[in-house]
Amino acid sequence: MKRYLEMVLSGENLTIAEMKQAAKLIFNAETPQAAVGGFLTALRAKGESASEMTGLAQVIREKAVTIPTPTSDVIDNCGTGGDHSQSLNISTTSAFVLAGAGLTVAKHGNRSITSKSGSADVLEALGVELSITPEQTNDALVKNKIAFLYAPHVHPAMKQVMSIRRSLAVPTIFNLIGPLTNPVELKTQLLGVFRRDLLMTMAEVLQQLGRERALVINGAGHFDEATLAGENHCVLLENGKLRTFTIHPEEVGLPVVANDQLKGGDAKLNAEIMINVLKGKRGAHRDVVLLNAGLGIFANGKATTIKQGIELAKESIDSGSALKCLKGMTKSEVTR
């Protein structure tokens, strides 16, 4: 670990192969915690490169639970979190809209770290079983087009670094790579990041991880999801190339709405908001979900334009298909 620490301290970016070796040392119980903590702190001070995020993500995925999938065309729309927006669970609600539109969604997620309700929190409030087996996950993807992959359940090796991360008390590379570590082989992906300076870096990582098509977004107001407040910054990975662009809600027929109108609350309140959106209730919550679901459908390639993606998202909600996918994930009466 000393070698890699010295390289990072000198400002050198590790290659994917070097970072994989460093990552294996991070997860080795014999490596001193002080050495791991020093390495993670040095990485943060230098700034994490695409090759370093790719190498770490690959090792985490190698150590993850193996999830069989019924199709090679699977998408995830997980974001990094970290925007402190306290909004409704936009990406989780959008995931059901994607499934209702016919996409196969392996929704990767965790409990809240910087908000009152993470994806796992809101789904648990809705009666969703978080810790399902790989076989149950595959069955859910086949029958319901969507399954939730609870990060602590599918990444047991992460327990090895929890105490180190807590002792550092500052964000590290592990706070950025959650969306990159889905154990399912994803063909396409929508990834939200709260740091605009990492847009291209994240897109490069998805390219190195082998995504055929992907979209990385940073929302107006620096959300890790697209918002209705103004220009959203994006990087599209398509045909092996990366292209930057911006999208404004008015360009796709949606209203401009201040970000404070997107606020949610605790898991119980956000669950109610999710159900209302999926039942067709109009307003800012629905509109921001339509925008993000539309971007997801576009990222998957089912829609050739974002506007077309939004129309398919509307159809998913208004036909009842999105709500049906939520009901299919839970036996609870909460969603009835």
Side-chain angles (χ1 to χ4, degrees), residues 110-332:
N110 207 337
R111 294 193 182 277
S112 167
I113 297 175
T114 59
S115 68
K116 295 179 181 178
S117 175
S119 55
D121 301 305
V122 70
L123 291 175
E124 189 174 57
L126 288 163
V128 174
E129 174 58 48
L130 300 183
S131 300
I132 61 176
T133 67
E135 293 73 25
Q136 288 172 321
T137 301
N138 179 72
D139 191 52
L141 292 171
V142 171
K143 295 180 179 178
N144 202 42
K145 306 294 288 187
I146 184 169
F148 182 66
L149 282 68
Y150 182 41
H153 185 64
V154 297
H155 297 294
M158 289 297 292
K159 293 178 183 177
Q160 178 69 31
V161 297
M162 285 306 299
S163 62
I164 300 171
R165 293 177 64 191
R166 290 195 185 103
S167 67
L168 292 176
V170 294
T172 69
I173 189 171
F174 284 102
N175 295 84
L176 299 172
I177 64 165
L180 306 170
T181 61
N182 194 317
V184 170
E185 288 292 342
L186 303 175
K187 183 177 181 180
T188 59
Q189 188 164 356
L190 174 67
L191 191 160
V193 59
F194 72 99
R195 282 176 50 186
R196 192 161 293 169
D197 62 305
L198 286 178
L199 268 173
M200 184 58 72
T201 301
M202 287 295 199
E204 290 171 355
V205 176
L206 293 180
Q207 187 178 43
Q208 291 169 356
L209 289 174
R211 303 292 184 267
E212 290 190 16
R213 184 179 167 94
L215 185 65
V216 184
I217 57 174
N218 173 260
H222 297 274
F223 275 42
D224 73 327
E225 289 145 331
T227 78
L228 303 167
E231 277 192 341
N232 300 280
H233 292 248
C234 309
V235 181
L236 176 67
L237 166 62
E238 184 180 35
N239 298 323
K241 297 180 179 179
L242 300 173
R243 174 172 66 88
T244 62
F245 67 95
T246 60
I247 185 72
H248 192 282
E250 289 182 330
E251 297 172 10
V252 288
L254 294 172
V256 175
V257 178
N259 283 337
D260 62 10
Q261 298 301 305
L262 304 179
K263 286 192 179 297
D266 60 15
K268 183 178 179 181
L269 176 59
N270 280 13
E272 293 174 3
I273 293 172
M274 182 188 295
I275 292 167
N276 285 335
V277 168
L278 297 183
K279 284 184 175 179
K281 183 178 179 180
R282 307 276 168 164
H285 290 158
R286 170 187 165 99
D287 289 336
V288 77
V289 168
L290 288 176
L291 177 57
N292 282 273
L295 287 165
I297 296 169
F298 172 71
N300 175 260
K302 183 169 183 177
T304 56
T305 66
I306 296 169
K307 195 165 186 177
Q308 183 187 23
I310 290 171
E311 290 304 313
L312 291 173
K314 288 179 182 177
E315 183 180 336
S316 173
I317 294 175
D318 295 340
S319 67
S321 293
L323 182 62
K324 183 179 179 181
C325 290
L326 173 59
K327 289 180 177 179
M329 188 181 275
T330 174
K331 304 300 183 184
S332 170

Side-chain angles (χ1 to χ4, degrees), residues 47-68:
E48 300 88 347
S49 69
S51 58
E52 289 160 349
M53 284 196 256
T54 300
L56 180 56
Q58 287 178 342
V59 169
I60 292 173
R61 292 188 71 251
E62 288 169 4
K63 293 179 174 294
V65 173
T66 300
I67 308 290

